[in-house]
Amino acid sequence: MLSLDPLGPECDSPLGSKDLEEEEGPWGGGSGLPPPGCFHGSWRHDVALDCKGSPEGAEARAWTVYYYSLLQSCLQQAGLPETQDRSQVPRTGCPGAEVTLCILGSPSTFLSLLLEGGVQSPGNMLLCLSPAWLTKVPAPGQPGEAALLVSKAVSFHPGGLTFLDDFVPPRRATYFLAGLGLGPGRGREAAELARDLTCPTGASAELARLLEDRLLTRRLLARQGDVSVPATLAFTYKPPALLRGGDASPGLRLVELNGKEGQETLVKEEVGAFLHSEALGDALQVAMKLSGWRWRGRQAMRLYPRAELGPVVDTVLALLEKLEEEESVLVEAVCPPAQLPFPGSPLPGPELALRICAVVCRTQGDRPLLSKVVCSVGRGDRPLRHQSSLPRTLEAALAAVLTLEAGLSAEQRGGRQVRTDFLGVDFALTVAGRALTPVALELNGGLCLEACGALEGLWAAPRPGLAAEEAAAAPLVETMLRRSARCLMEGKQLLLLGAGGVSKKFVWEAARDYGLKLHLVDSDPNHFASQLVQTFIHFDITEHQRDEENARVLAELVRARGLQLDGCFSYWDDCLVLTALLCQELGLPCNPPAAMHLAKQKSRTQLHLLCHHGPPWPAPSLYAVPCCPLESEADVDRAVRQVPLPGVMKLEFGAGAVGVRLVEDASQCHEHFSRIARDLQGEADHPGIGLGWGNAMLLMEFIEGTEHDVDLVLFGGRLLAAFVSDNGPTRLPGFTETAACMPTGLAPEQESQLVQAAFRCCLGCGLLDGVFNVELKLTRAGPRLIEINPRMGGFYLRDWILELYGVDLLLAAAMVACGLRPALPAHPRARGHLVGVMCLVSQHLQVLSSTASRETLQALHDQGLLRLNLLEETLVPGEYEEPYCSVACAGPSPAEARLRLLGLCQGLGIDGPHYPVAYFLSHFK
């Protein structure tokens, strides 16, 4: 449990020139040859590490060999196979059309990230062991920026498999992360490669200067108010602009120096006042450190008893001579070590130094997420450092760290696409009063990530019987993929058929955020979205009996306008078949029109799948439900004889559960058929639910069980992602949705059954590419299909999936439409739970006009107390209605989210005798 003592006696010796010249290695800015004979292993050494066209000198070549051996040593100790050299047969690909996550740096620092990337995006996580394996080329149309090309790399795959690959033509990076530094070493080359790239970049020398400046980051953390930092006295020589002026920070004293000579009196006064101040608390020692970019990675430090004023002053004065502009000498309190008692003993235990290391990753919506916490344990009289102690788990909750680049210009960040996507935060665990308190020491880049990787067993076999935890690097890989998707889609030209209503307002904001160039076709010449797109084409898309003719006309309109489209898609039910026909006319990627038509017509879907007996097993026929199409009164009599009652009657091409009803006998079937034939004859009677296709109906068997939605992302017939949600019981005999919960509360086996049922039903209908919403029921005999919606899930689903999983179904659909494989994590994990309830005008007109008005709900949404999805614009009651809005609450567990929502609904008046929210949420217990 205790760390070894690698620091040696130099910890107690004065800081000399030797201490101040230590370097971490070439990535930290050092030079010279790597240490000889570091690794022992049986891997092959006759691998092709040279990159054609980019010869390396002897020193650079030695470092490339060193890092290759370091990688093999790490893989060997993790029980993973040796890297296979397949560079003799170069890899071919689709430059500019595939995800390429590129890491340039030490394998030991980034190994956990590389292995996780190999799982989440197989073959797309690349490690470059030399800057010579990369090339910057000017980016057309983007002055001052460059694309980054990868000619050689080690690619990572599931199971820890790695391959040394050459790429012809070179792969174009969609995300770049590098180990950085100054000086003549590889760190400077990496910094130059990272500057002003067109692809998203996770680090730059400019941001690293800020991140790893102890004084600057400590001041930023202290200003948070809820983050403690050690009491610190700083002497800064010509401080940077970010350190000048501003409000005083608790526990920090900043002394600005314009010169380094003649400061004896000032230093003595300041140090004396600091050593006697109450800010030091119970600290018995102070530490002397240097702060600034030049000193990153150098382990020079001096400890003094708090009572020794003279030596502290002398050391400060000696160090001032070594400072350059914007650098500092720090005098800080050494956090008193914790003294933990022995179990069952009244005697105090040994004093232990506890250093906590946390990795914080940027996630969807630029929110920081605490990914993992580890701690190091060592002797109380020795300071702990990275790589000198063994990491242990520590259950703790730490506040998120603000991103440091907020408010900086692109030049200050090192490029338009540079952002900090992960931070390492170092804490010491100390005693304040009678409480254990974490004190923030500094921020760093790869050290905390490396420590968390060590904890996760990367260098040791996993222990049997323990559940697998999410890797610390998992959120970072998800962010890399998310930013890569943006990179691939920025500037893409897409034709969109059907604008939709208020529930689809998010589309226009998202398109602007992603840099998509949308061209819209819609029937409403005055639609608000007509002003938000590149091109608006007014065209009647409601007459679906003429879809084939309309597709040819639209194709001519597109050509006449000279639109150079990358893709064409729709999320609007009415336009799905027309979209497929138009894509066929324009030669754009899409599912076959026959497959879209099959999925669009509900009875054809079920009857087709009933005949689909396989193999492979289980065949889609196992999930289909008996049904009968209804076009006339005579069909009703025939259907009653063929379909067991009770049954469900619904519109063939309907949406939103409008007109769906439980029928108990033949008379109810006739009655409901006549009512729909009378009330819902065409598009004008209820726009947007598919009446442009006609008002034919079907009767299908009523299936007992719980209802679920499965939202799928398919590409090339392969399942890339699936998200399962649970629905609450409906208000029979109607089927309008009442409540929902995500992620599903089902057991993993049942969840897998639903996903496989949805996937196989889509394949059975010929739906191979796209984002699809499949509604199923889970019965005692397994899943049964309700219907397939061959488009992105409606209502709240896109918003919830984005919030919980960080996956945007809209962006995924747009990528598929452009023929690009969506950049999605292989196993996305939910970051919480959402439970929601629908509000209906027929049930909530009074409260929606008073206690739960749109303005009230929006204000609660803005405060983070609920999640509002507005689905209709006006409060107009009617017999055939769709939900007005969805109101949801988040929580760390479904139980907590459910209780919050129930209390909210009771307070707002949404819950009531005629709309019992508790009953609707009862399925989620």
Side-chain angles (χ1 to χ4, degrees), residues 152-309:
K152 192 182 193 75
V154 177
S155 60
F156 284 72
H157 299 258
L161 296 178
T162 55
F163 300 93
L164 182 62
D165 289 323
D166 280 5
F167 303 105
V168 179
R171 290 183 67 158
R172 181 172 178 169
T174 60
Y175 187 96
F176 183 57
L177 179 62
L180 302 167
L182 295 176
R186 290 190 168 190
R188 169 163 286 186
E189 293 181 72
E192 291 301 320
L193 284 170
R195 186 171 288 113
D196 294 321
L197 294 177
T198 57
C199 70
T201 309
S204 68
E206 288 78 1
L207 285 183
R209 283 179 179 272
L210 305 180
L211 268 178
E212 305 208 9
D213 184 316
R214 287 190 181 100
L215 178 58
L216 176 60
T217 54
R218 195 169 289 182
R219 187 179 186 185
L220 290 172
L221 292 174
R223 285 181 172 176
Q224 283 300 100
D226 55 351
V227 180
S228 300
V229 298
T232 304
L233 171 65
F235 295 94
T236 305
Y237 178 51
K238 296 184 178 180
L242 290 173
L243 280 175
R244 294 188 203 125
D247 298 332
S249 302
L252 293 182
R253 168 69 176 161
L254 179 61
V255 180
E256 298 184 16
L257 304 176
N258 291 320
K260 295 184 287 185
E261 305 295 332
Q263 303 292 346
E264 292 83 359
T265 301
L266 175 63
V267 168
K268 186 173 183 179
E269 291 176 354
E270 291 286 349
V271 171
F274 178 72
L275 295 179
H276 291 89
S277 70
E278 295 182 358
L280 270 70
D282 297 331
L284 299 177
Q285 293 179 303
V286 292
M288 311 288 295
K289 295 179 180 178
L290 290 161
S291 177
W293 174 258
R294 282 197 306 148
W295 309 112
R296 69 184 290 269
R298 305 184 186 188
Q299 297 188 349
M301 183 174 70
R302 173 75 180 191
L303 299 179
Y304 287 100
R306 178 177 173 179
E308 295 185 6
L309 173 63

Side-chain angles (χ1 to χ4, degrees), residues 413-444:
R413 295 196 311 271
R416 175 178 60 92
Q417 292 276 29
V418 176
R419 296 191 329 184
T420 301
D421 285 331
F422 78 103
L423 294 173
V425 188
D426 272 327
F427 293 86
L429 193 64
T430 186
V431 178
R434 297 181 60 83
L436 289 175
T437 303
V439 177
L441 300 177
E442 62 184 4
L443 306 181
N444 63 68

Side-chain angles (χ1 to χ4, degrees), residues 712-768:
L712 304 173
V713 182
L714 273 61
F715 188 76
R718 295 186 179 276
L719 178 63
L720 302 188
F723 307 93
V724 181
S725 55
D726 305 334
N727 291 337
T730 61
R731 300 167 62 241
L732 297 175
F735 286 88
T736 302
E737 185 173 320
T738 58
C741 176
M742 183 181 278
T744 177
L746 295 173
E749 178 184 352
Q750 294 173 310
E751 180 182 13
S752 297
Q753 288 177 1
L754 286 172
V755 170
Q756 281 302 308
F759 177 43
R760 290 170 187 268
C761 286
C762 286
L763 293 183
C765 289
L767 300 174
L768 305 181

Side-chain angles (χ1 to χ4, degrees), residues 51 100-102 126-128 133-135 148-154 165-173 176:
C51 186
T100 301
L101 313 176
C102 180
L126 307 181
L127 171 64
C128 289
W133 295 5
L134 295 159
T135 308
L148 187 66
L149 304 182
V150 186
S151 298
K152 192 182 193 75
V154 177
D165 289 323
D166 280 5
F167 303 105
V168 179
R171 290 183 67 158
R172 181 172 178 169
F176 183 57

